[in-house]
Amino acid sequence: MRAFCVDQTEQLGLGSLDQLEPIATASGPVAVPIDWETVSLVWDAASGYPAAGAYRDYHRTTNRHLRPWSNTGETYRPEQALALAREHARDFVERVGARLDRYRAERGRAGLVCCALDTELLGYWWYEGGTWLAAVLEEARRQGVTLAALPDALEQIEPVERLLAASTWGTGRDLRTWDAPEVVELVAGARRAELRIVAEAARARPGAAGDDRAALARAARELLAAQASDWPFLVTRELASPYALERSRGHLDGVDEALAALADSRPVPEPSVRNLAPELDLSPLTAP
């Protein structure tokens, strides 16, 4: 892992130019602060772009699940909504450009605005979001704002040294979503499975192949699925808690099945997870 995004709003302050600086961590990966001043232009439920009156109302539907109304309750007019999306794209790029210009003027070097969004917002919750994103790409080229994938950006921008504050994307931006009495079963179960897999991998002969490798790979994939952060999120938010617990237990059962096959030199059972980590590398399980 070379880099990860992190929310440092509570530590650095909303709007701080420090948000535009990647942070070097002692363990190696670069932490990239999410710039909530920029994200809020799109994500804020009350004042973000998707709340504008001309956009299609996602929540109100007809008996046949059509959405013919705008956010104001009037008849939805696609031409007006799409024109507004392009206008909001221009506004977004102008604001980002101004923020980067201010950073360069004050710090004498290039900054990095990281605007991380749940992609389901664009085109799903915000029907016109796909048009907005396409227009952002066009506006960025027109206005001279450089777009880059994170690995490419980090090749150009030197990280600074700064302490990281503990934070998550959960409620309150702290650890309560993932470390609470309601999720003890999920957290403890995943940790026990992790330790068992590491122990079994260490006992497997070097360069395990064939059924041994298949069993370890199956166990590792099931563990990754059991560790998914959505399960505790659903439990602590009381959103489909039984489903989250069922899924987590099912993946931990998959770990048990895979390790049992490894111990008995039996064929590995059919996996419950397909296409997860297709290029899985087992070497970290045996690394010091």
Side-chain angles (χ1 to χ4, degrees):
M1 181 184 297
R2 295 181 53 209
F4 61 94
C5 295
V6 64
D7 189 337
Q8 295 291 278
T9 306
E10 300 299 321
Q11 179 193 37
L12 300 178
L14 181 67
S16 169
L17 292 180
D18 290 344
Q19 300 277 14
L20 276 58
E21 296 176 335
I23 302 170
T25 68
S27 56
V30 176
V32 181
I34 296 169
D35 185 32
W36 265 102
E37 178 168 294
T38 301
V39 173
S40 296
L41 296 172
V42 187
W43 193 254
D44 191 280
S47 60
Y49 299 137
Y55 290 136
R56 192 179 74 166
D57 187 340
Y58 173 86
H59 299 282
R60 189 163 41 168
T61 66
T62 68
N63 291 336
R64 295 186 180 275
H65 304 290
L66 302 176
R67 295 180 173 84
W69 296 288
S70 69
N71 287 332
T72 62
E74 300 175 349
T75 301
Y76 176 65
R77 301 184 184 281
E79 298 82 3
Q80 292 181 9
L82 295 179
L84 181 60
R86 289 187 283 270
E87 178 58 37
H88 279 154
R90 284 192 290 273
D91 179 72
F92 179 83
V93 175
E94 286 174 0
R95 290 172 182 259
V96 170
R99 190 149 167 71
L100 289 167
D101 288 345
R102 181 185 164 204
Y103 180 89
R104 183 181 288 277
E106 293 191 14
R107 309 276 171 107
R109 58 184 184 273
L112 175 63
V113 169
C114 180
C115 180
L117 302 169
D118 287 10
T119 53
E120 67 179 353
L121 172 67
L122 305 178
Y124 183 68
W125 297 107
W126 182 19
Y127 182 65
E128 301 81 7
T131 297
W132 172 84
L133 180 59
V136 164
L137 301 181
E138 294 176 2
E139 283 295 324
R141 287 191 289 268
R142 189 179 68 81
Q143 297 188 34
V145 174
T146 301
L147 299 176
L150 197 53
D152 297 331
L154 294 178
E155 292 291 336
Q156 306 297 323
I157 298 178
E158 191 72 21
V160 302
E161 293 187 3
R162 181 183 295 125
L163 292 177
L164 283 178
S167 68
T168 75
W169 59 269
T171 301
R173 294 186 178 136
D174 56 24
L175 300 175
R176 76 186 77 168
T177 299
W178 332 111
D179 185 15
E182 302 95 317
V183 297
V184 166
E185 176 185 341
L186 303 179
V187 176
R191 180 58 172 163
R192 284 194 296 268
E194 177 185 356
L195 295 175
R196 287 182 61 208
I197 293 172
V198 170
E200 293 297 333
R203 280 194 285 269
R205 63 181 182 274
D211 288 344
D212 285 359
R213 180 174 178 80
L216 286 171
R218 160 82 192 280
R221 287 189 172 94
E222 296 285 4
L223 176 64
L224 288 174
Q227 291 173 327
S229 61
D230 269 352
W231 308 142
F233 178 82
L234 292 173
V235 171
T236 55
R237 294 290 296 272
E238 298 183 352
L239 302 169
S241 294
Y243 172 75
L245 292 169
E246 177 184 348
R247 284 294 304 273
S248 178
R249 291 165 182 160
H251 292 304
L252 293 178
D253 288 344
V255 172
D256 292 340
E257 292 177 1
L259 294 183
L262 175 65
D264 299 337
S265 298
R266 292 188 281 107
V268 183
E270 186 72 17
S272 65
V273 181
R274 302 181 189 278
N275 301 319
L276 176 62
E279 298 180 5
L280 180 69
D281 180 6
L282 295 176
S283 61
L285 295 176
T286 57

